[in-house]
Amino acid sequence: MDHAADALRTDLMTLTRHVLNEQSKHPEARGDLTILLNHIVLGCKFVCSAVNKAGLAHLIGLAGETNVQGEEQKKLDVLSNQVFVKALTSSGRTNVLVSEEDEEAIFVPEKLRGRYCVVFDPLDGSSNIDCGVSIGTIFGIYMLEAGKAGTVDDLLKAGTSMVAAGYCMYGSSCTLVLSTGEDVNGFTLDPSLGEFILTHPHIRIPEKGKIYSVNEGNAKNWDEPTTKFVEKAKFPEDGSSPRSLRYIGSMVADVHRTLLYGGIFMYPADKKSPNGKLRVLYEVFPMSFLVEKAGGQAFTGKQRALELVPKKIHERSPIFLGSYDDVEEVKELYKQYGA
């Protein structure tokens, strides 16, 4: 028996332990962000459990309502939203919440208010629930100035002011990827322990990838730079091998693969959706934050994604994110051909 290997396996870096270690690097920290993240983790565990038994518990199927995006809500969407709103509110560390499922921002009752504002998509990719494709939760965290009562305007600012972001993917395993502003780390839920264990430390996205990810069904409506990029990906002019196309249709799963393997994820503007399709606050910003912290880039077709200042909480934007060199290529095409 390899006792040394067994000893290593027992020294597990849990997500809670990791966050506490990060907190100890900042003597002025009061532990509020740690407490908030623990409540987000609890929400992720609950949703993971619900996703795993969705078919058995009749949680698949439409709930009979339509959310603010005009998408028919699935029962799991509704449940996930309720879980995260309650988890975030009960943490005593939040002030304003914005969810994809709610038209208006949620203001936490005064006695439970804290210094953080959280934006989240409780169940991204929910149209894939019925066929078992990976889905996930995306979140971003902002901090208010001390003693300030939060308003919607505190969220309508550039993504550069975000203090933490992450996503939890519910698939063949339950994986939570998080950055609190330094590097990016991935944790996998060990069901036997009920704990997220560090499995992907210090994620760095490759500088250049061999994969592009886009919904080619929209190709006839694309602008010229996007069309040219995909054309070059399929038919390289320098004689190199063409890139592989991988598109799942669930942003969390597509971005997760891009982070680990490199390449580019694109959801460009087109004639049908001139302002893009993905929501700025709780899809574009958190994913751009993670990709940049991992050494990649995120671009809207006009500017660095995190420098965009939204005017509405459910505003949409085009997005190109992934490996540094791949996004640089897209930027060059936009300079050359314009939008």
Side-chain angles (χ1 to χ4, degrees):
M1 183 181 285
D2 189 347
H3 293 291
D6 283 347
L8 277 173
R9 278 193 288 271
T10 59
D11 185 26
L12 300 173
M13 177 62 78
T14 65
L15 194 152
T16 305
R17 183 178 155 195
H18 173 81
V19 173
L20 285 169
N21 284 354
E22 290 298 305
Q23 182 190 315
S24 68
K25 295 176 187 174
H26 305 277
E28 74 285 359
R30 300 182 304 177
D32 286 355
L33 183 59
T34 304
I35 292 166
L36 173 56
L37 287 170
N38 273 334
H39 279 73
I40 290 173
V41 166
L42 179 64
C44 291
K45 288 177 184 175
F46 190 101
V47 173
C48 178
S49 174
V51 167
N52 286 340
K53 60 189 179 193
L56 295 171
H58 302 293
L59 286 167
I60 287 174
L62 300 178
E65 296 174 27
T66 302
N67 71 7
V68 64
Q69 313 304 333
E71 301 162 339
E72 291 181 307
Q73 284 181 299
K74 302 239 169 180
K75 292 178 188 175
L76 262 176
D77 279 11
V78 178
L79 175 69
S80 303
N81 192 44
Q82 290 170 349
V83 165
F84 277 102
V85 169
K86 286 176 182 172
L88 292 165
T89 303
S90 65
S91 72
R93 301 299 183 275
T94 56
N95 199 301
V96 186
L97 309 177
V98 168
S99 165
E100 189 212 19
E101 304 297 339
D102 294 305
E103 189 166 356
E104 304 293 335
I106 299 162
F107 295 93
V108 175
E110 197 168 344
K111 63 180 180 179
L112 290 171
R113 274 183 202 161
R115 287 186 63 187
Y116 291 99
C117 300
V118 183
V119 293
F120 61 100
D121 184 344
L123 206 62
D124 177 72
S126 55
S127 61
N128 288 315
I129 294 168
D130 294 23
C131 58
V133 169
S134 295
I135 52 181
T137 298
I138 309 171
F139 61 90
I141 302 172
Y142 295 87
M143 187 166 69
L144 290 169
E145 292 170 27
K148 187 176 179 187
T151 66
V152 169
D153 288 341
D154 291 306
L155 295 165
L156 298 178
K157 50 190 179 184
T160 48
S161 55
M162 217 168 240
V163 296
Y167 61 80
C168 188
M169 184 175 69
Y170 315 112
S172 56
S173 59
C174 180
T175 306
L176 194 150
V177 174
L178 172 71
S179 175
T180 53
E182 304 269 329
D183 51 6
V184 181
N185 293 282
F187 303 82
T188 303
L189 182 64
D190 183 333
S192 64
L193 298 174
E195 289 280 4
F196 279 99
I197 307 299
L198 181 63
T199 50
H200 297 78
H202 314 298
I203 295 171
R204 300 297 295 171
I205 188 168
E207 278 188 31
K208 189 171 178 63
K210 297 176 181 175
I211 297 169
Y212 73 101
S213 183
V214 66
N215 182 356
E216 287 216 47
N218 295 327
K220 73 170 188 175
N221 295 315
W222 286 343
D223 59 20
E224 196 168 3
T226 306
T227 304
K228 291 283 183 191
F229 180 85
V230 172
E231 197 177 294
K232 284 171 75 176
K234 291 177 175 179
F235 309 103
E237 294 161 359
D238 59 3
S240 59
S241 298
R243 299 182 191 221
S244 298
L245 168 64
R246 298 283 184 272
Y247 185 70
I248 298 164
S250 171
M251 189 188 190
V252 170
D254 279 314
V255 171
H256 186 66
R257 183 201 56 248
T258 304
L259 262 180
L260 296 184
Y261 301 160
I264 188 167
F265 168 81
M266 309 186 286
Y267 212 117
D270 58 32
K271 291 171 192 166
K272 201 168 60 174
S273 306
N275 297 317
K277 193 84 183 287
L278 298 177
R279 273 66 59 140
V280 174
L281 278 184
Y282 40 81
E283 289 175 327
V284 170
F285 277 174
M287 293 308 202
S288 299
F289 184 92
L290 290 168
V291 165
E292 282 199 7
K293 295 298 178 189
Q297 286 196 85
F299 178 62
T300 66
K302 293 180 179 174
Q303 65 185 115
R304 177 188 172 201
L306 287 178
E307 290 177 353
L308 182 66
V309 180
K311 295 181 176 63
K312 299 178 293 189
I313 60 173
H314 296 295
E315 191 168 311
R316 299 173 190 258
S317 169
I319 188 66
F320 302 83
L321 57 80
S323 294
Y324 192 95
D325 290 354
D326 294 344
V327 177
E328 199 62 35
E329 201 175 319
V330 170
K331 287 162 79 172
E332 289 301 318
L333 287 167
Y334 269 92
K335 273 187 200 167
Q336 190 177 343
Y337 294 101

